[in-house]
Amino acid sequence: MPPSDTFFTTSPGWEWLVILYFFFGGLAGGSFFLAAMVDLFGEERDRPLARLGYYTAFVSFLPAAPLLILDLTRPERFWHMLIQSERAPLPMFKWWSPMSVGSWALLIFGLFSFLAAVGALAQSGRLPWEPLRVLRHDGLKMIIAVLGGLVGFFLASYTGVLLTVTNRPIWADTNLLGLLFLFSAASTAAALLLLVARGGREVVPTSLGWLERMDRWALVLELLVLIVAVISLGAVAQAWFNVWGLTLVLGVVVVGILVPLVLEWRSDLLGNLTVPAAAVLVLIGGFLLRMVIVMSSEGIREVTTWLIR
C-alpha cells in the first residue's frame, strides 16, 4: 500500500517550464526583498547595493510571467486568470484560490519591480531623464520599497504554498514547502547579488559583507527547514529513495548548501574565487531543489500503477 492517499491523485503535468518559473520567481522576489531591506534600513553607502537588487529583481522577473503563460494548456487565454471572460471585462480576483492570488501578485510585483528599477537607473544617471528621479525621493521610494518588498516576500514563498495546496505526493504531505522556498529564494538572491556586485566597483565592501552574512543565515535556515520537512513527510519520504533523493542529498544539501557554507567559512580556500564559487553553487542548489520537488512528485504518476498492485 502507498504511504499516502495523495499517491492516487492525478498529476498536473508540471515540468521544466514550471521549475524555471519557480526559480526565476524566487530570484526576483528574493532580490527585491533584500534590496528593500537595504533601502529602508541601510546607510547611504549601501544605496548602490539596493539599486543593484532592484535591477536584478526586474531582470529575473522578465522570464517568469512568460514561462507561466507558456505552461498553460491554452496560453492565449492567460488573461482569463485576471479578467472575467463570461461577464463584463472586469478584474477577477479569487482570494480563496492560490493560483488567482499568485497571478495578481505576479502582476503587482512586475509593476513595483519596474518602477524600482527605473528609479534606480535614473538616480544612478544611467537613465538621464530628470523627472524619473522622483521615484527615488524619500516618500515615493519608501512606498515602492515597502509594498514591493512585501509582494516580493510573498512571491518568494507562494510557489511553495501553491504546491502544498495541490493534492499530490510530497507537495501536499508537508506544510513547510512555502518556508523552504522562502529561505531558498533568500539564499539564491543573495548569491546572485554577490556575483553581480563583484563585477563592478559601486558596491562597498561593508555592503558585500552584509550580503555574505545574509546568505550564510539563509543557507543554514534552508537546511534546517529541509531536514524538518523531510521528517514531516513520514512514510511519504520513501518516494525519495531513488535518483531524486540522491540529487536532493548530493546536489542540494552537499553542493548547494554545505560546500558553500564551508567556502564562506574558509574564505582563503580558493583565493579570490572562493565567494564567486560559493555563489554559483548556491544558485545550482536552489535550482536543483525546485527540480527535485517538482519532478519527484510528477514522476510518481509513472509508478502509481505499480504501487496499487
Side-chain angles (χ1 to χ4, degrees):
M1 292 291 294
S4 168
D5 58 6
T6 57
F7 278 71
F8 297 99
T9 59
T10 302
S11 166
W14 290 347
E15 295 186 353
W16 293 106
L17 290 176
V18 170
I19 293 169
L20 289 169
Y21 163 63
F22 285 176
F23 182 65
F24 283 110
L27 282 177
S31 296
F32 196 106
F33 182 75
L34 291 178
M37 291 286 288
V38 173
D39 224 3
L40 293 171
F41 304 109
E43 300 179 10
E44 187 61 34
R45 64 185 180 184
D46 299 317
R47 296 294 176 261
L49 177 59
R51 292 196 295 267
L52 184 64
Y54 291 139
Y55 301 150
T56 305
F58 181 64
V59 172
S60 299
F61 164 78
L62 289 178
L67 286 167
L68 184 61
I69 292 171
L70 288 173
D71 186 69
L72 298 174
T73 304
R74 295 290 299 274
E76 75 277 7
R77 295 185 178 182
F78 73 93
W79 57 275
H80 288 188
M81 303 172 70
L82 303 170
I83 306 296
Q84 297 181 27
S85 59
E86 297 179 355
R87 302 179 181 178
L90 299 174
M92 179 178 64
F93 177 72
K94 301 178 181 179
W95 59 266
W96 63 90
S97 169
M99 186 66 75
S100 178
V101 173
S103 299
W104 279 102
L106 196 64
L107 179 66
I108 295 170
F109 178 81
L111 173 63
F112 280 113
S113 64
F114 173 74
L115 292 176
V118 169
L121 286 171
Q123 186 182 45
S124 66
R126 294 185 176 90
L127 192 59
W129 191 26
E130 189 64 26
L132 292 178
R133 294 177 66 90
V134 70
L135 294 172
R136 294 295 294 168
H137 286 178
D138 289 342
L140 190 54
K141 179 188 75 172
M142 182 172 293
I143 292 174
I144 292 173
V146 171
L147 296 182
L150 289 174
V151 181
F153 183 90
F154 173 83
L155 184 63
S157 61
Y158 124 86
T159 50
V161 175
L162 178 63
L163 292 179
T164 62
V165 299
T166 305
N167 194 27
R168 286 292 296 162
I170 300 173
W171 303 348
D173 293 305
T174 178
N175 294 320
L176 294 173
L177 292 185
L179 188 61
L180 178 62
F181 276 33
L182 175 64
F183 288 131
S184 177
S187 65
T188 52
L192 181 59
L193 288 174
L194 281 170
L195 277 178
V196 178
R198 289 184 174 274
R201 298 180 179 179
E202 294 185 355
V203 180
V204 297
T206 53
S207 297
L208 291 176
W210 175 84
L211 203 54
E212 290 175 9
R213 291 192 297 274
M214 177 64 70
D215 195 29
R216 284 196 294 271
W217 277 108
L219 286 172
V220 170
L221 292 172
E222 180 184 350
L223 178 59
L224 293 176
V225 173
L226 178 58
I227 292 172
V228 176
V230 172
I231 295 173
S232 70
L233 288 174
V236 177
Q238 68 182 273
W240 277 333
F241 290 172
N242 51 30
V243 66
W244 295 120
L246 185 64
T247 304
L248 182 68
V249 173
L250 296 182
V252 179
V253 175
V254 177
V255 173
I257 298 178
L258 295 180
V259 172
L261 284 174
V262 171
L263 289 176
E264 292 184 9
W265 175 50
R266 293 290 305 276
S267 57
D268 59 334
L269 284 177
L270 301 177
N272 293 333
L273 295 178
T274 302
V275 173
V280 170
L281 292 178
V282 170
L283 289 169
I284 293 173
F287 177 79
L288 290 179
L289 173 67
R290 289 155 178 79
M291 183 186 75
V292 167
I293 291 177
V294 172
M295 298 297 282
S296 59
S297 183
E298 284 290 337
I300 290 174
R301 62 183 172 177
E302 301 172 0
V303 300
T304 300
T305 302
W306 176 82
L307 285 171
I308 294 175
R309 294 176 185 174

